Amino acid sequence: RSLCTVVCKWTYTSDGGWDDSFWKMIGLEDLVKDKYEKIGNHVLSPGEPVGKGLTPEAAKDLGLPEGIAVAASLIDAHAGGLGVIGADVKGHNLPCENQPITSRVAMICGTSSCHMGVSETPIFVPGVWGPYFSAMVPGLWLNEGGQSATGKLIDHVVRGHVAFPELQSKAATSAHSIYTYLNSHLDLIKKSLPVGFLTVDLHVWPDFHGNRSPLTDLTLKGMVVGLTLSRGLDELALIYLATIQAIALGTRHILETMQAAGHHINTLFLCGGLSKNPLFVQMHADITGKPVVLSKEVESVLVGAAILGACASGDFASIQEAMVKMGKIGRVVQPNHEHKRFYDKKYEVFLKLVEHQREYRSIMNSY
């Protein structure tokens, strides 16, 4: 078993092992028998070599040499975090240079998003999972925030819009993806305004699938304020922009909650499918006020897995050494501080939206 999985998803601790009392309390005391034989009692740290390497049967199936090193694994998002968070940042003029990696947060952005931050001592953050010891970076405590629908939400909003067929057809004609086309369309309609300012009257609360962090309220719903009767491509582009901004505002909400609890974060490291969208990246920089580092290899989950393999094979002596050598910076996106006041106001509205939603629920619950 991987320490990452049993600590993050079960009730295991690296110093105390399984918690007998928990299993008994929930009526699963049979799992305690024979020193937890049923659910596994041999737990390894991620990156440790497993057994004698690849078995003959697996080697044959995969077309790889028998006995090649196999590492204890990480959960997918945690592997993404490992793939980006330890990269050498020298020469990029970043606030996290010459600072411990506890000043960084790794964001794994896909269908949903995870926000992975590490600390030297355990920090309990309301609405953010953890702290988990050695669950991602050995020797450090992990906190894991998250948003339950991000890429999925953008897709839902764009594909459900009445102008989507027109968007599809125009994007196909221009040989661009629908999102590249939408980004260029926003540049057309912004005129002299910064593109983000187009949503001055349009606000989204992004919890169409409940809130994971920091409110941990699965009953919350999505909200859109500022709709008109317009049905064209301009309107689709605006709701797309407002949705991306709402996701970035949600990230700011998570980061502020982590910082209030004791984290000191000054740089974001993004990976995953959404990190390929320059508008998504720029909005995260502008709205959080922090520089965003993009990995040279977008599929950072695979880099994390490769780091584990390189430790199991003995090519590196430690995860930390492998992270510095194998995690490479592709690009740095700086926040536009001139837009700070606008996004501070958007954030004020963002927090009002959920406050109002809870008021509406309270009114309806009292009938």
Side-chain angles (χ1 to χ4, degrees), residues 12 41 79 136 158 202 215-216 281 302 327 365:
Y12 193 93
N41 50 24
M136 186 173 81
V158 169
L202 184 61
L215 302 176
T216 56
V281 175
L302 302 184
N365 285 345

Side-chain angles (χ1 to χ4, degrees), residues 258-329:
M258 289 175 75
Q259 302 204 127
H263 281 274
H264 300 286
I265 298 155
N266 56 34
T267 312
L268 302 183
F269 286 68
L270 259 63
C271 65
L274 287 175
S275 69
K276 298 174 189 174
N277 183 333
L279 181 67
F280 184 89
V281 175
Q282 190 65 57
M283 285 298 118
H284 272 75
D286 291 352
I287 285 170
T288 63
K290 299 180 194 309
V292 172
V293 177
L294 296 173
S295 177
K296 192 170 185 181
E297 173 50 67
V298 177
E299 307 302 342
S300 298
V301 173
L302 302 184
V303 176
I307 285 169
L308 299 179
C311 288
S313 63
D315 285 82
F316 292 105
S318 70
I319 295 273
Q320 279 88 339
E321 185 194 346
M323 280 162 60
V324 173
K325 295 276 171 62
M326 293 175 71
K328 295 275 187 280
I329 289 185

Side-chain angles (χ1 to χ4, degrees), residues 70-364:
V70 174
S73 62
L74 279 168
I75 298 165
D76 53 356
H78 300 59
L82 200 69
V84 293
I85 204 168
D88 182 359
V89 298
K90 280 189 191 69
H92 287 273
N93 196 26
L94 286 163
C96 64
E97 190 175 338
N98 303 319
Q99 298 219 344
I101 64 168
T102 51
S103 62
R104 309 175 181 190
V105 155
M107 272 186 67
I108 299 86
C109 319
T111 307
S112 59
S113 294
C114 286
H115 304 67
M116 319 292 266
V118 290
S119 58
E120 286 177 15
T121 54
I123 298 174
F124 289 83
V125 185
V128 172
W129 296 353
Y132 305 123
F133 186 62
S134 284
M136 186 173 81
V137 180
L140 294 176
W141 295 83
L142 170 71
N143 281 113
E144 181 190 341
Q147 292 165 294
S148 54
T150 49
K152 178 69 181 169
L153 176 62
I154 295 167
D155 258 3
H156 173 77
V157 167
V158 169
R159 291 175 184 278
H161 196 278
V162 69
F164 179 66
E166 184 191 345
L167 168 65
Q168 247 183 331
S169 139
K170 288 190 167 168
T173 305
S174 68
H176 286 305
S177 77
I178 55 172
Y179 294 114
T180 303
Y181 189 88
L182 275 175
N183 292 350
S184 62
H185 191 77
L186 282 166
D187 281 335
L188 278 179
I189 60 177
K190 72 174 187 181
K191 301 190 171 68
S192 60
L193 281 173
V195 75
F197 287 32
L198 288 168
T199 58
V200 67
D201 294 323
L202 184 61
H203 308 285
V204 173
W205 178 264
D207 290 331
F208 286 47
H209 197 54
N211 183 286
R212 176 176 154 187
S213 300
L215 302 176
T216 56
D217 184 347
L218 59 86
T219 68
L220 285 175
K221 305 290 189 287
M223 300 168 78
V224 183
V225 175
L227 294 173
T228 70
L229 286 175
S230 302
R231 295 159 56 89
L233 207 48
D234 287 6
E235 198 65 19
L236 170 49
L238 290 179
I239 191 77
Y240 158 72
L241 171 61
T243 303
I244 284 178
Q245 289 175 335
I247 292 166
L249 290 161
T251 290
R252 176 168 167 175
H253 198 195
I254 291 167
L255 294 179
E256 287 193 1
T257 307
M258 289 175 75
Q259 302 204 127
H263 281 274
H264 300 286
I265 298 155
N266 56 34
T267 312
L268 302 183
F269 286 68
L270 259 63
C271 65
L274 287 175
S275 69
K276 298 174 189 174
N277 183 333
L279 181 67
F280 184 89
V281 175
Q282 190 65 57
M283 285 298 118
H284 272 75
D286 291 352
I287 285 170
T288 63
K290 299 180 194 309
V292 172
V293 177
L294 296 173
S295 177
K296 192 170 185 181
E297 173 50 67
V298 177
E299 307 302 342
S300 298
V301 173
L302 302 184
V303 176
I307 285 169
L308 299 179
C311 288
S313 63
D315 285 82
F316 292 105
S318 70
I319 295 273
Q320 279 88 339
E321 185 194 346
M323 280 162 60
V324 173
K325 295 276 171 62
M326 293 175 71
K328 295 275 187 280
I329 289 185
R331 201 159 61 86
V332 172
V333 175
Q334 293 289 348
N336 191 329
H337 293 296
E338 288 170 28
H339 301 169
K340 182 181 185 304
R341 185 166 162 76
F342 178 80
Y343 290 118
D344 284 350
K345 293 293 180 190
K346 284 284 286 186
Y347 187 56
E348 205 178 315
V349 173
F350 180 78
L351 296 178
K352 279 267 185 234
L353 287 172
V354 71
E355 189 187 317
H356 290 165
Q357 182 173 156
R358 286 174 159 168
E359 278 179 31
Y360 306 154
R361 179 176 300 163
S362 165
I363 291 166
M364 294 310 297

